[in-house]
């Protein structure tokens, strides 16, 4: 409660936008609108609503401290064989690696055991690395013929006795899939051999 007796509430929102560029655009618009709506806003950049960039914390958690996030995308992973449902994943491309993450948010309904949510702060993020590889192990990335949203990323095996494995990914639309493919190809070309 404030000194006047009014109740003051704090809110935390988790917004899933699927890719980094849309997120940046949304946050810039949100920041501008919020500042314009504030009666105490003077136009001074120091009094702007604070939006933090957690890229460094995120990269530290992945063990890629010297990297730069080039592409981030929420998508789905599918399997050719088996009777498995598509799984929501986060694809992260850095300047030296690709990551496939299981990204879950407390309270969004994707965590099967929601009983533990009361012990966790709503909106907290849980990241688990499902798979990762250096860019030098990416032997191919291509769109599927049957659906422009589908991508296959082929990773060379680290062991010559094993065969390459594939990530079969589904983006929200064909444009996002094309951008992901282009970004991975650019990162591979830019990576010194």
């Amino acid at each position: 409660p404030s000194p006047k007796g009014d109740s003051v509430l704090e809110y935390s929102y988790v917004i899933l936008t699927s890719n980094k560029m849309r997120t940046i655009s949304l946050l810039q618009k949100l920041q501008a609108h919020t500042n314009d709506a504030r009666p105490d806003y003077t136009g001074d950049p120091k009094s702007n609503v604070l939006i933090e960039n957690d890229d460094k914390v995120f990269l530290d958690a992945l063990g890629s401290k010297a990297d730069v996030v080039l592409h981030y995308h929420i998508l789905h992973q599918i399997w050719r064989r088996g009777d498995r449902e598509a799984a929501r994943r986060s694809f992260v491309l850095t300047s030296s690696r690709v990551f496939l993450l299981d990204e879950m948010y407390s309270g969004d309904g994707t965590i099967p055991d929601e009983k533990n949510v009361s012990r966790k702060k709503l909106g907290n993020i849980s990241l688990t690395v499902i798979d990762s590889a250096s860019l030098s192990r990416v032997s191919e990335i291509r769109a599927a013929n049957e659906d422009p949203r589908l991508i296959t990323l082929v990773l060379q095996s680290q062991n010559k006795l094993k065969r390459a494995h594939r990530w079969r990914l589904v983006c929200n639309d064909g444009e996002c899939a094309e951008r992901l493919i282009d970004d991975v190809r650019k990162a591979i070309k830019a990576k010194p051999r």
Side-chain angles (χ1 to χ4, degrees):
S2 72
K4 296 179 185 175
D6 298 335
S7 122
V8 177
L9 300 175
E10 286 188 29
Y11 293 93
S12 175
Y13 296 95
V14 176
I15 303 170
L16 302 176
T17 58
S18 297
N19 72 55
K20 189 174 180 177
M21 296 313 293
R22 286 185 185 165
T23 302
I24 290 169
S25 174
L26 176 67
L27 291 176
Q28 288 171 341
K29 290 173 186 170
L30 182 64
Q31 186 175 32
H33 177 72
T34 304
N35 289 333
D36 291 345
R38 287 179 37 212
D40 62 334
Y41 183 63
T42 62
D44 180 9
K46 291 179 183 175
S47 67
N48 281 351
V49 170
L50 177 64
I51 296 175
E52 296 179 357
N53 182 344
D54 287 338
D55 276 0
K56 182 173 176 8
V57 174
F58 181 73
L59 288 169
D60 287 349
L62 292 176
S64 297
K65 295 177 184 179
D67 283 350
V68 175
V69 174
L70 302 175
H71 191 104
Y72 168 85
H73 200 98
I74 296 175
L75 40 70
H76 287 86
Q77 180 180 21
I78 58 172
W79 292 265
R80 181 168 285 194
R81 291 187 203 95
D83 201 15
R84 298 169 75 177
E85 283 188 36
R88 184 173 78 187
R89 301 281 192 241
S90 295
F91 175 87
V92 179
L93 169 66
T94 69
S95 49
S96 68
R97 299 187 67 80
V98 289
F99 293 90
L100 195 58
L101 307 171
D102 193 7
E103 182 172 347
M104 293 192 264
Y105 300 88
S106 296
D108 76 345
T110 60
I111 300 172
D113 184 16
E114 290 280 72
K115 295 173 197 162
N116 296 330
V117 170
S118 61
R119 284 187 262 142
K120 296 180 180 179
K121 186 176 176 186
L122 289 178
N124 276 1
I125 301 169
S126 169
L127 290 173
T128 306
V129 178
I130 300 298
D131 200 1
S132 70
S134 65
L135 287 176
S136 61
R137 286 188 45 218
V138 177
S139 62
E140 181 183 7
I141 183 163
R142 60 180 156 73
N145 294 334
E146 64 272 7
D147 186 342
R149 300 175 308 134
L150 299 178
I151 296 171
T152 301
L153 185 133
V154 181
L155 298 174
Q156 297 170 346
S157 174
Q158 291 178 315
N159 181 338
K160 299 221 185 259
L161 298 175
K162 292 184 178 181
R163 52 183 204 162
H165 72 280
R166 291 162 166 59
W167 295 352
R168 290 181 177 81
L169 310 172
V170 183
C171 294
N172 293 338
D173 57 45
E175 183 181 317
C176 290
E178 284 179 36
R179 192 175 316 115
L180 190 151
I181 291 168
D182 289 344
D183 287 350
V184 171
R185 287 178 178 163
K186 286 176 192 172
I188 290 170
K189 284 181 183 175
K191 184 79 181 142
R193 298 274 167 179

